[in-house]
Amino acid sequence: MEFHDLSLDERLLLARRGTAYFAQRLVELTDIELDGDTLLPGWTRRHLLAHVGYNAAALCRLLDWAATGVETPMYASAEQRNREIDEGATLNPAALRNLFTHTAARLDEKWRNLPPSAWAAEVRTAQGRLVPAAETAWMRAREVWIHAVDLASGGRFGDFPAIVLDSLLTDIVGTWRKNKLGAGLVLAVEDRSSIAVHRDSPPTATVAGPLAAVVRWAAGRGSTGVTIDTDLDGPPRWL
């Protein structure tokens, strides 16, 4: 079973649990530590916190689109999104923390009040995909669980619910296949069948380890806990 096999209420619960997990990692950081680096090159914790806050606001716009039928994009443009993050990173620590708390609460309110018929309404992601509004639950869950690790304040993929890890792996491999990346790559997760990224491609590299470690590697967050049987610069691009 994976994320999309769950009921809507169960999916929203996992997104809310991810928000709580991110909040716990955040509260353990002092204001001075917000100036520190994340696992994302070029981003401080300030940048990451601004991004997660504004992501919730962007998902609220998609839910408004679903509720009203009036197209409301996540972002006006990639440039606007990047500028927003850079400017948000300059906020004082209290304002940055409030940004995260306020936008997360606003997103949760939008979820709670969305008319039942609107969950199936199609909206467009920042990558240009048309998805039902219900997809915002996975979009947010993916965001907060992974970025809680990116804060570099003690978050671990091993803390994620197994269903989130399984769904991340399916999402990542599906993106690689769609973009014709990862030819010859095999993911050997302990206690389950190996996954050939492209089934018709002869295997040239195997990444093996526990589920959490393989997902961490596939998501581009390091090779701790996996063994790789050949030289790889890293995983193919995912997002």
Side-chain angles (χ1 to χ4, degrees):
M1 179 177 286
E2 294 183 0
F3 194 91
H4 293 90
D5 298 319
L6 300 174
S7 70
L8 178 60
D9 285 344
E10 290 170 323
R11 284 177 272 163
L12 291 172
L13 177 60
L14 282 171
R16 290 169 177 136
R17 284 179 60 190
T19 298
Y21 185 72
F22 184 98
Q24 184 58 43
R25 302 286 75 75
L26 176 60
V27 79
E28 293 167 357
L29 293 168
T30 66
D31 287 350
I32 291 175
E33 288 174 327
L34 292 181
D35 294 326
D37 292 333
T38 66
L39 298 185
L40 302 174
W43 269 15
T44 67
R45 290 177 175 129
R46 287 174 159 276
H47 289 87
L48 183 59
L49 188 49
H51 166 63
V52 172
Y54 289 129
N55 169 264
L59 292 176
C60 286
R61 289 192 282 273
L62 291 188
L63 293 169
D64 287 340
W65 179 352
T68 65
V70 178
E71 183 171 349
T72 314
M74 289 185 71
Y75 306 100
S77 66
E79 292 75 21
Q80 178 264 330
R81 171 184 175 274
N82 293 335
R83 184 169 61 252
E84 186 175 58
I85 292 170
D86 286 339
E87 292 174 355
T90 68
L91 294 171
N92 67 54
L96 262 176
R97 294 176 190 273
N98 286 339
L99 171 66
F100 165 72
T101 302
H102 175 72
T103 54
R106 197 152 61 89
L107 176 59
D108 198 58
E109 180 185 18
K110 296 282 187 186
W111 279 334
R112 284 188 282 108
N113 294 320
L114 193 70
S117 61
W119 286 105
E122 284 196 329
V123 294
R124 193 180 304 277
T125 71
Q127 291 77 36
R129 293 187 303 122
L130 281 174
V131 299
E135 183 74 4
T136 58
W138 173 239
M139 293 165 70
R140 186 59 173 175
R142 185 177 63 192
E143 197 83 15
V144 287
W145 283 107
I146 291 180
H147 285 326
V149 174
D150 292 332
L151 278 173
S153 62
R156 304 180 309 115
F157 276 76
D159 292 337
F160 296 10
I163 197 165
V164 172
L165 291 172
D166 281 325
S167 301
L168 282 170
L169 195 58
T170 296
D171 198 336
I172 292 168
V173 171
T175 299
W176 289 345
R177 287 172 176 164
K178 178 182 176 182
N179 295 328
K180 297 180 170 56
L181 300 173
L185 178 59
V186 176
L187 303 178
V189 178
E190 287 180 3
D191 302 323
R192 61 179 65 192
S193 300
S194 295
I195 301 170
V197 175
H198 295 281
R199 299 178 185 88
D200 57 350
S201 179
T204 57
T206 299
V207 177
L211 176 61
V214 172
V215 174
R216 175 188 171 100
W217 178 86
R221 268 65 180 185
S223 56
T224 301
V226 298
T227 57
I228 305 173
D229 69 354
T230 189
D231 290 335
L232 282 176
D233 292 334
R237 182 176 174 81
W238 170 40
L239 290 177

mmCIF file with all atom_site columns, all heavy atoms in Angstrom, residues 182-186 196 198-206 229:
data_model
loop_
_atom_site.group_PDB
_atom_site.id
_atom_site.type_symbol
_atom_site.label_atom_id
_atom_site.label_alt_id
_atom_site.label_comp_id
_atom_site.label_asym_id
_atom_site.label_entity_id
_atom_site.label_seq_id
_atom_site.pdbx_PDB_ins_code
_atom_site.Cartn_x
_atom_site.Cartn_y
_atom_site.Cartn_z
_atom_site.occupancy
_atom_site.B_iso_or_equiv
_atom_site.pdbx_formal_charge
_atom_site.auth_seq_id
_atom_site.auth_comp_id
_atom_site.auth_asym_id
_atom_site.auth_atom_id
_atom_site.pdbx_PDB_model_num
ATOM 1   N N   . GLY A 1 182 ? 18.502 7.300  -15.371 1.00 0.00 ? 182 GLY A N   1
ATOM 2   C CA  . GLY A 1 182 ? 18.796 6.134  -14.546 1.00 0.00 ? 182 GLY A CA  1
ATOM 3   C C   . GLY A 1 182 ? 18.870 4.821  -15.294 1.00 0.00 ? 182 GLY A C   1
ATOM 4   O O   . GLY A 1 182 ? 18.642 3.754  -14.708 1.00 0.00 ? 182 GLY A O   1
ATOM 5   N N   . ALA A 1 183 ? 19.242 4.850  -16.567 1.00 0.00 ? 183 ALA A N   1
ATOM 6   C CA  . ALA A 1 183 ? 19.388 3.602  -17.326 1.00 0.00 ? 183 ALA A CA  1
ATOM 7   C C   . ALA A 1 183 ? 20.420 2.710  -16.655 1.00 0.00 ? 183 ALA A C   1
ATOM 8   O O   . ALA A 1 183 ? 21.516 3.150  -16.296 1.00 0.00 ? 183 ALA A O   1
ATOM 9   C CB  . ALA A 1 183 ? 19.813 3.912  -18.758 1.00 0.00 ? 183 ALA A CB  1
ATOM 10  N N   . GLY A 1 184 ? 20.073 1.445  -16.454 1.00 0.00 ? 184 GLY A N   1
ATOM 11  C CA  . GLY A 1 184 ? 20.985 0.477  -15.852 1.00 0.00 ? 184 GLY A CA  1
ATOM 12  C C   . GLY A 1 184 ? 21.011 0.498  -14.344 1.00 0.00 ? 184 GLY A C   1
ATOM 13  O O   . GLY A 1 184 ? 21.687 -0.330 -13.718 1.00 0.00 ? 184 GLY A O   1
ATOM 14  N N   . LEU A 1 185 ? 20.288 1.405  -13.718 1.00 0.00 ? 185 LEU A N   1
ATOM 15  C CA  . LEU A 1 185 ? 20.308 1.526  -12.259 1.00 0.00 ? 185 LEU A CA  1
ATOM 16  C C   . LEU A 1 185 ? 19.305 0.565  -11.618 1.00 0.00 ? 185 LEU A C   1
ATOM 17  O O   . LEU A 1 185 ? 18.148 0.484  -12.036 1.00 0.00 ? 185 LEU A O   1
ATOM 18  C CB  . LEU A 1 185 ? 19.984 2.967  -11.856 1.00 0.00 ? 185 LEU A CB  1
ATOM 19  C CG  . LEU A 1 185 ? 19.912 3.273  -10.355 1.00 0.00 ? 185 LEU A CG  1
ATOM 20  C CD1 . LEU A 1 185 ? 21.233 2.958  -9.663  1.00 0.00 ? 185 LEU A CD1 1
ATOM 21  C CD2 . LEU A 1 185 ? 19.532 4.746  -10.144 1.00 0.00 ? 185 LEU A CD2 1
ATOM 22  N N   . VAL A 1 186 ? 19.770 -0.148 -10.592 1.00 0.00 ? 186 VAL A N   1
ATOM 23  C CA  . VAL A 1 186 ? 18.924 -1.074 -9.835  1.00 0.00 ? 186 VAL A CA  1
ATOM 24  C C   . VAL A 1 186 ? 18.949 -0.656 -8.366  1.00 0.00 ? 186 VAL A C   1
ATOM 25  O O   . VAL A 1 186 ? 20.019 -0.388 -7.806  1.00 0.00 ? 186 VAL A O   1
ATOM 26  C CB  . VAL A 1 186 ? 19.420 -2.525 -9.973  1.00 0.00 ? 186 VAL A CB  1
ATOM 27  C CG1 . VAL A 1 186 ? 18.583 -3.458 -9.093  1.00 0.00 ? 186 VAL A CG1 1
ATOM 28  C CG2 . VAL A 1 186 ? 19.371 -2.975 -11.434 1.00 0.00 ? 186 VAL A CG2 1
ATOM 29  N N   . ALA A 1 196 ? 14.407 -2.367 -10.906 1.00 0.00 ? 196 ALA A N   1
ATOM 30  C CA  . ALA A 1 196 ? 15.180 -1.886 -12.050 1.00 0.00 ? 196 ALA A CA  1
ATOM 31  C C   . ALA A 1 196 ? 14.495 -0.631 -12.558 1.00 0.00 ? 196 ALA A C   1
ATOM 32  O O   . ALA A 1 196 ? 13.316 -0.662 -12.907 1.00 0.00 ? 196 ALA A O   1
ATOM 33  C CB  . ALA A 1 196 ? 15.240 -2.942 -13.143 1.00 0.00 ? 196 ALA A CB  1
ATOM 34  N N   . HIS A 1 198 ? 14.804 0.986  -15.277 1.00 0.00 ? 198 HIS A N   1
ATOM 35  C CA  . HIS A 1 198 ? 14.312 0.710  -16.633 1.00 0.00 ? 198 HIS A CA  1
ATOM 36  C C   . HIS A 1 198 ? 14.456 -0.792 -16.868 1.00 0.00 ? 198 HIS A C   1
ATOM 37  O O   . HIS A 1 198 ? 15.575 -1.297 -16.998 1.00 0.00 ? 198 HIS A O   1
ATOM 38  C CB  . HIS A 1 198 ? 15.100 1.510  -17.668 1.00 0.00 ? 198 HIS A CB  1
ATOM 39  C CG  . HIS A 1 198 ? 14.906 2.992  -17.540 1.00 0.00 ? 198 HIS A CG  1
ATOM 40  N ND1 . HIS A 1 198 ? 13.792 3.648  -18.015 1.00 0.00 ? 198 HIS A ND1 1
ATOM 41  C CD2 . HIS A 1 198 ? 15.681 3.939  -16.948 1.00 0.00 ? 198 HIS A CD2 1
ATOM 42  C CE1 . HIS A 1 198 ? 13.895 4.940  -17.738 1.00 0.00 ? 198 HIS A CE1 1
ATOM 43  N NE2 . HIS A 1 198 ? 15.017 5.140  -17.091 1.00 0.00 ? 198 HIS A NE2 1
ATOM 44  N N   . ARG A 1 199 ? 13.348 -1.480 -16.909 1.00 0.00 ? 199 ARG A N   1
ATOM 45  C CA  . ARG A 1 199 ? 13.364 -2.936 -16.923 1.00 0.00 ? 199 ARG A CA  1
ATOM 46  C C   . ARG A 1 199 ? 14.027 -3.512 -18.176 1.00 0.00 ? 199 ARG A C   1
ATOM 47  O O   . ARG A 1 199 ? 14.521 -4.632 -18.152 1.00 0.00 ? 199 ARG A O   1
ATOM 48  C CB  . ARG A 1 199 ? 11.937 -3.462 -16.809 1.00 0.00 ? 199 ARG A CB  1
ATOM 49  C CG  . ARG A 1 199 ? 11.246 -3.030 -15.514 1.00 0.00 ? 199 ARG A CG  1
ATOM 50  C CD  . ARG A 1 199 ? 9.812  -3.525 -15.456 1.00 0.00 ? 199 ARG A CD  1
ATOM 51  N NE  . ARG A 1 199 ? 9.109  -3.028 -14.293 1.00 0.00 ? 199 ARG A NE  1
ATOM 52  C CZ  . ARG A 1 199 ? 8.443  -1.880 -14.250 1.00 0.00 ? 199 ARG A CZ  1
ATOM 53  N NH1 . ARG A 1 199 ? 8.402  -1.123 -15.337 1.00 0.00 ? 199 ARG A NH1 1
ATOM 54  N NH2 . ARG A 1 199 ? 7.822  -1.503 -13.158 1.00 0.00 ? 199 ARG A NH2 1
ATOM 55  N N   . ASP A 1 200 ? 14.042 -2.752 -19.273 1.00 0.00 ? 200 ASP A N   1
ATOM 56  C CA  . ASP A 1 200 ? 14.640 -3.254 -20.512 1.00 0.00 ? 200 ASP A CA  1
ATOM 57  C C   . ASP A 1 200 ? 16.089 -2.809 -20.683 1.00 0.00 ? 200 ASP A C   1
ATOM 58  O O   . ASP A 1 200 ? 16.682 -2.984 -21.738 1.00 0.00 ? 200 ASP A O   1
ATOM 59  C CB  . ASP A 1 200 ? 13.819 -2.785 -21.716 1.00 0.00 ? 200 ASP A CB  1
ATOM 60  C CG  . ASP A 1 200 ? 13.692 -1.267 -21.782 1.00 0.00 ? 200 ASP A CG  1
ATOM 61  O OD1 . ASP A 1 200 ? 14.086 -0.603 -20.800 1.00 0.00 ? 200 ASP A OD1 1
ATOM 62  O OD2 . ASP A 1 200 ? 13.195 -0.755 -22.799 1.00 0.00 ? 200 ASP A OD2 1
ATOM 63  N N   . SER A 1 201 ? 16.672 -2.237 -19.624 1.00 0.00 ? 201 SER A N   1
ATOM 64  C CA  . SER A 1 201 ? 18.052 -1.742 -19.688 1.00 0.00 ? 201 SER A CA  1
ATOM 65  C C   . SER A 1 201 ? 18.963 -2.666 -18.885 1.00 0.00 ? 201 SER A C   1
ATOM 66  O O   . SER A 1 201 ? 18.676 -2.961 -17.718 1.00 0.00 ? 201 SER A O   1
ATOM 67  C CB  . SER A 1 201 ? 18.106 -0.320 -19.119 1.00 0.00 ? 201 SER A CB  1
ATOM 68  O OG  . SER A 1 201 ? 19.423 0.179  -19.154 1.00 0.00 ? 201 SER A OG  1
ATOM 69  N N   . PRO A 1 202 ? 20.059 -3.173 -19.460 1.00 0.00 ? 202 PRO A N   1
ATOM 70  C CA  . PRO A 1 202 ? 20.968 -4.059 -18.719 1.00 0.00 ? 202 PRO A CA  1
ATOM 71  C C   . PRO A 1 202 ? 21.492 -3.371 -17.461 1.00 0.00 ? 202 PRO A C   1
ATOM 72  O O   . PRO A 1 202 ? 21.850 -2.187 -17.506 1.00 0.00 ? 202 PRO A O   1
ATOM 73  C CB  . PRO A 1 202 ? 22.106 -4.307 -19.714 1.00 0.00 ? 202 PRO A CB  1
ATOM 74  C CG  . PRO A 1 202 ? 21.529 -4.002 -21.052 1.00 0.00 ? 202 PRO A CG  1
ATOM 75  C CD  . PRO A 1 202 ? 20.522 -2.925 -20.834 1.00 0.00 ? 202 PRO A CD  1
ATOM 76  N N   . PRO A 1 203 ? 21.525 -4.071 -16.332 1.00 0.00 ? 203 PRO A N   1
ATOM 77  C CA  . PRO A 1 203 ? 21.985 -3.444 -15.085 1.00 0.00 ? 203 PRO A CA  1
ATOM 78  C C   . PRO A 1 203 ? 23.465 -3.076 -15.133 1.00 0.00 ? 203 PRO A C   1
ATOM 79  O O   . PRO A 1 203 ? 24.298 -3.873 -15.561 1.00 0.00 ? 203 PRO A O   1
ATOM 80  C CB  . PRO A 1 203 ? 21.713 -4.519 -14.032 1.00 0.00 ? 203 PRO A CB  1
ATOM 81  C CG  . PRO A 1 203 ? 21.633 -5.805 -14.788 1.00 0.00 ? 203 PRO A CG  1
ATOM 82  C CD  . PRO A 1 203 ? 21.100 -5.464 -16.137 1.00 0.00 ? 203 PRO A CD  1
ATOM 83  N N   . THR A 1 204 ? 23.755 -1.856 -14.702 1.00 0.00 ? 204 THR A N   1
ATOM 84  C CA  . THR A 1 204 ? 25.142 -1.378 -14.670 1.00 0.00 ? 204 THR A CA  1
ATOM 85  C C   . THR A 1 204 ? 25.542 -0.878 -13.290 1.00 0.00 ? 204 THR A C   1
ATOM 86  O O   . THR A 1 204 ? 26.731 -0.713 -13.011 1.00 0.00 ? 204 THR A O   1
ATOM 87  C CB  . THR A 1 204 ? 25.355 -0.246 -15.683 1.00 0.00 ? 204 THR A CB  1
ATOM 88  O OG1 . THR A 1 204 ? 24.437 0.820  -15.398 1.00 0.00 ? 204 THR A OG1 1
ATOM 89  C CG2 . THR A 1 204 ? 25.135 -0.738 -17.108 1.00 0.00 ? 204 THR A CG2 1
ATOM 90  N N   . ALA A 1 205 ? 24.582 -0.615 -12.416 1.00 0.00 ? 205 ALA A N   1
ATOM 91  C CA  . ALA A 1 205 ? 24.880 -0.125 -11.070 1.00 0.00 ? 205 ALA A CA  1
ATOM 92  C C   . ALA A 1 205 ? 23.761 -0.520 -10.128 1.00 0.00 ? 205 ALA A C   1
ATOM 93  O O   . ALA A 1 205 ? 22.579 -0.450 -10.483 1.00 0.00 ? 205 ALA A O   1
ATOM 94  C CB  . ALA A 1 205 ? 25.036 1.396  -11.087 1.00 0.00 ? 205 ALA A CB  1
ATOM 95  N N   . THR A 1 206 ? 24.134 -0.950 -8.926  1.00 0.00 ? 206 THR A N   1
ATOM 96  C CA  . THR A 1 206 ? 23.153 -1.329 -7.917  1.00 0.00 ? 206 THR A CA  1
ATOM 97  C C   . THR A 1 206 ? 23.396 -0.534 -6.640  1.00 0.00 ? 206 THR A C   1
ATOM 98  O O   . THR A 1 206 ? 24.535 -0.443 -6.159  1.00 0.00 ? 206 THR A O   1
ATOM 99  C CB  . THR A 1 206 ? 23.229 -2.829 -7.591  1.00 0.00 ? 206 THR A CB  1
ATOM 100 O OG1 . THR A 1 206 ? 22.954 -3.581 -8.781  1.00 0.00 ? 206 THR A OG1 1
ATOM 101 C CG2 . THR A 1 206 ? 22.228 -3.210 -6.515  1.00 0.00 ? 206 THR A CG2 1
ATOM 102 N N   . ASP A 1 229 ? 27.715 -0.534 -5.957  1.00 0.00 ? 229 ASP A N   1
ATOM 103 C CA  . ASP A 1 229 ? 28.693 -1.467 -6.509  1.00 0.00 ? 229 ASP A CA  1
ATOM 104 C C   . ASP A 1 229 ? 29.496 -0.909 -7.680  1.00 0.00 ? 229 ASP A C   1
ATOM 105 O O   . ASP A 1 229 ? 30.246 -1.640 -8.322  1.00 0.00 ? 229 ASP A O   1
ATOM 106 C CB  . ASP A 1 229 ? 28.004 -2.776 -6.929  1.00 0.00 ? 229 ASP A CB  1
ATOM 107 C CG  . ASP A 1 229 ? 27.076 -2.598 -8.134  1.00 0.00 ? 229 ASP A CG  1
ATOM 108 O OD1 . ASP A 1 229 ? 26.871 -1.446 -8.566  1.00 0.00 ? 229 ASP A OD1 1
ATOM 109 O OD2 . ASP A 1 229 ? 26.567 -3.615 -8.640  1.00 0.00 ? 229 ASP A OD2 1
#
